[in-house]
Amino acid sequence: MLLKRSFALLPLALAMTSSYTVHATETEPKLVPSAEEELAYTLGVQAMIYGAGPLTVSMVRNTSTTVDSPMDNGMAPLNQMGKTYRLLGPEDRIVPTVNNDTLYSQSHINLDQTGPLVIEIPKTDDRYFIVQLLDEYSEAVDNLIADNVGVAGSKVLLVNKGWQGEVPKGIDKVVESRTPYVWYIQRTAVAGKQDLEAAKLVHKQFINYPLSELGQQHHAAEL
């Protein structure tokens, strides 16, 4: 839930780089790695950096979806949505830096299974929100915010890269993901405990569902 992008592996890569250098003393000959050793090391570091994103997202997905039904901490089965409806505190440790002024929604989506996915954003007026969409490399597919989807309510269609289908009436925006797996992370701001009930009314209206279900009634799980 709630990824706060970091480059935690970069110091490790740099440490690996520095440890690779062989330091010679005054009494020892300087050892120069061969071209093959240099290439092997460089490829290894590049592979680690390249694979860090997919491995991290995969671990989060595998952990977050190991439940039978949506939970109140944001966990939910694959292609379903988990939501929080309370302000989290120090006793909530599923995410170390979780915010106390935010309600969260989370979905781990496989577009190969769901097909094109409709993301509904309700009327939010002046309440802060964001729907963050991350691909399998933890790169942002898009960040849906007031500046690009408005505050009056909208429907966004999330599709696989290269999708050639027809966009139906009522869809306001199409977002294309380069990977079938997409991590949906949504946040709704809460201005203190006195605002919680009003925030929940907006928060529960952030939903997603397959395009084949467009026009049907959908409701978020009440947890």
Side-chain angles (χ1 to χ4, degrees), residues 32 41-42 46 54 66 69 146 148 157 162 193 197 203 207 213 223:
V32 179
Y41 171 75
T42 300
Q46 290 178 344
T66 54
S69 60
N148 57 28
L157 190 63
K193 291 183 178 179
E197 292 306 313
H203 183 62
I207 57 176
E213 298 178 5
L223 305 174

Side-chain angles (χ1 to χ4, degrees), residues 43-147:
L43 291 176
V45 171
Q46 290 178 344
M48 184 197 72
I49 295 173
Y50 175 82
L55 285 174
T56 301
V57 173
S58 177
M59 287 191 297
V60 173
R61 181 172 61 246
N62 289 342
T63 300
S64 299
T65 59
T66 54
V67 292
D68 296 327
S69 60
M71 307 285 286
D72 64 359
N73 60 3
M75 297 176 67
L78 188 67
N79 301 324
Q80 296 186 41
M81 182 183 293
K83 283 184 177 286
T84 65
Y85 286 109
R86 60 185 177 85
L87 296 178
L88 304 181
E91 69 280 3
D92 298 291
R93 301 180 181 180
I94 189 170
V95 177
T97 55
V98 69
N99 297 328
N100 181 247
D101 60 354
T102 309
L103 298 177
Y104 294 99
S105 307
Q106 175 180 240
S107 291
H108 287 278
I109 300 158
N110 183 349
L111 291 171
D112 283 344
Q113 295 179 358
T114 65
L117 201 76
V118 178
I119 297 172
E120 282 202 16
I121 298 172
K123 182 181 178 182
T124 54
D125 295 324
D126 60 351
R127 184 179 300 279
Y128 172 82
F129 73 91
I130 181 173
V131 178
Q132 185 177 26
L133 302 172
L134 301 175
D135 67 15
E136 202 162 2
Y137 294 90
S138 78
E139 295 289 339
V141 176
D142 206 338
N143 292 310
L144 307 177
I145 57 177
D147 286 348

